[in-house]
């Protein structure tokens, strides 16, 4: 029996923490999001998310929700159409079996705090999953291969200080870390061949960027990728033998301090 069918109305009003086992579908996520106004801590690590098709899921219309996928708008206040913002979730432990986190899953859930843990089984992250949240640290699993190319995954996260992406990611989407004023450091994987516009826009506290490609990623004439980053104080660390290439590359040469990894800064 699914969760939404067994919890009473009075329990929904009083719950602040919840641990579930068994199966869940998008209708259960809608119940937890919209009908349990004081839910703060949720552990669904031992559940399995099953497929559902219909109008009663986390969206307001008839769509299909795949199995093993955290649903669209699962805990996003944007998913509540014309109703109060009931989302007060501060911590969630995800199932170890999920392979995807769908679009807008936590967008505008500004109550999420601390470190967000993504299960190692996740291979896909959708559009704007974590935008406008209060998480301060996140590390993507090495199995992850795709981020939605439209970006906005961490747009306007005012407390975010640390993001680690997989070592084999090939691109960083547009607006990926835009308006994250506390982000301190970021590493661009050696496999990266593309960076979207405004990816680091207004990351005003960036102190270091480690760019691991030996050939600088072409910025295609885009001028706002690092807009708002203080390129006079932020150190750009590059692979040995790549210093001259980065000093000549459009967009990269604006950094005053470009240092080969393992070398001592001289300027």
């Amino acid at each position: 029996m699914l969760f939404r069918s067994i919890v009473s109305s009075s329990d929904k009003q009083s719950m602040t923490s919840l641990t579930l086992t068994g199966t869940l579908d998008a209708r259960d996520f809608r119940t937890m999001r919209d009908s349990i106004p004081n839910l703060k801590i949720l552990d669904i690590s031992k559940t399995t998310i099953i497929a559902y098709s219909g109008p009663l899921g986390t969206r307001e219309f008839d769509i299909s929700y795949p199995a093993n996928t955290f649903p669209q708008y699962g805990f996003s206040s944007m998913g509540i159409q014309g109703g109060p913002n009931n989302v007060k979730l501060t911590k969630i432990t995800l199932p170890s079996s999920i392979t995807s986190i769908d679009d807008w899953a936590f967008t505008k859930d500004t109550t999420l705090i601390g470190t967000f843990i993504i299960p190692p089984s996740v291979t896909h992250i959708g559009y704007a999953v974590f935008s406008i949240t209060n998480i301060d640290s996140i590390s993507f699993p090495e199995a992850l291969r795709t981020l939605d190319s439209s970006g906005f995954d961490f747009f306007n996260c005012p407390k975010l200080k640390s993001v680690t992406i997989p070592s084999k990611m090939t691109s960083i989407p547009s607006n990926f870390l835009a308006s994250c004023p506390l982000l301190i450091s970021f590493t661009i994987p050696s496999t990266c061949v593309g960076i979207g516009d405004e990816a680091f826009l207004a990351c005003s506290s960036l102190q270091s960027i480690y760019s691991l490609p030996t050939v600088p990623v072409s910025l295609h004439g885009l001028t706002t990728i690092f807009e708002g980053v203080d390129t006079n104080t932020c150190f750009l660390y590059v692979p040995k033998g790549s210093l001259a290439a980065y000093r000549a590359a459009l967009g990269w040469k604006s950094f005053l301090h470009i240092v080969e990894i393992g070398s001592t800064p001289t300027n």
Side-chain angles (χ1 to χ4, degrees):
M1 185 177 293
L2 298 177
F3 165 74
R4 66 185 180 279
S5 304
I6 60 175
V7 64
S8 69
S9 296
S10 59
D11 286 340
K12 290 177 183 177
Q13 297 302 309
S14 61
M15 283 181 181
T16 58
S17 64
L18 181 61
T19 299
L20 296 174
T21 59
T23 58
L24 299 173
D25 67 25
R27 293 169 290 182
D28 298 299
F29 282 94
R30 183 170 181 168
T31 296
M32 290 185 284
R33 184 195 66 195
D34 295 359
S35 302
I36 307 181
N38 297 303
L39 183 62
K40 294 182 179 180
I41 300 173
L42 176 63
D43 184 348
I44 54 173
S45 59
K46 295 182 179 180
T47 67
T48 299
I49 299 175
I50 61 176
Y52 167 72
S53 293
L56 301 178
T58 50
R59 300 300 304 270
E60 294 294 323
F61 45 83
D62 192 342
I63 64 170
S64 295
Y65 301 85
N68 297 318
T69 297
F70 195 95
Q72 293 182 18
Y73 292 100
F75 270 96
S76 168
S77 63
M78 291 175 64
I80 303 169
Q81 302 297 319
N85 180 359
N86 287 337
V87 179
K88 293 183 174 65
L89 200 67
T90 60
K91 182 179 180 181
I92 183 170
T93 308
L94 298 175
S96 59
S97 58
I98 65 170
T99 58
S100 178
I101 302 176
D102 214 339
D103 303 344
W104 300 285
F106 299 99
T107 305
K108 283 194 175 182
D109 185 355
T110 54
T111 57
L112 278 175
I113 58 174
T115 300
F116 193 97
I117 298 175
I118 300 175
S121 54
V122 172
T123 59
H124 173 74
I125 301 287
Y127 174 81
V129 167
F130 302 103
S131 289
I132 322 178
T133 64
N134 278 331
I135 59 174
D136 58 37
S137 176
I138 191 165
S139 180
F140 288 110
E142 278 297 315
L144 184 71
R145 290 294 177 268
T146 59
L147 292 164
D148 190 283
S149 60
S150 301
F152 282 99
D153 284 285
F154 295 100
F155 173 74
N156 196 17
C157 290
K159 296 184 179 181
L160 187 67
K161 294 181 180 180
S162 174
V163 177
T164 302
I165 64 175
S167 60
K168 294 184 179 181
M169 288 294 296
T170 58
S171 63
I172 297 172
S174 300
N175 302 102
F176 182 58
L177 290 162
S179 300
C180 293
L182 295 186
L183 186 70
I184 297 171
S185 181
F186 188 78
T187 298
I188 299 169
S190 62
T191 51
C192 184
V193 295
I195 301 175
D197 201 16
E198 300 185 354
F200 300 94
L201 176 71
C203 291
S204 55
S205 293
L206 265 175
Q207 299 173 10
S208 58
I209 297 174
Y210 289 80
S211 183
L212 302 186
T214 54
V215 176
V217 176
S218 174
L219 303 186
H220 305 295
L222 301 175
T223 60
T224 58
I225 288 177
F226 297 112
E227 185 174 330
V229 176
D230 190 341
T231 54
N232 291 319
T233 59
C234 179
F235 279 72
L236 175 62
Y237 293 91
V238 303
K240 278 189 174 296
S242 299
L243 184 62
Y246 275 88
R247 282 181 170 170
L250 185 66
W252 300 103
K253 63 183 180 181
S254 62
F255 286 85
L256 178 62
H257 305 284
I258 305 178
V259 182
E260 290 189 344
I261 295 170
S263 303
T264 302
T266 58
N267 57 355

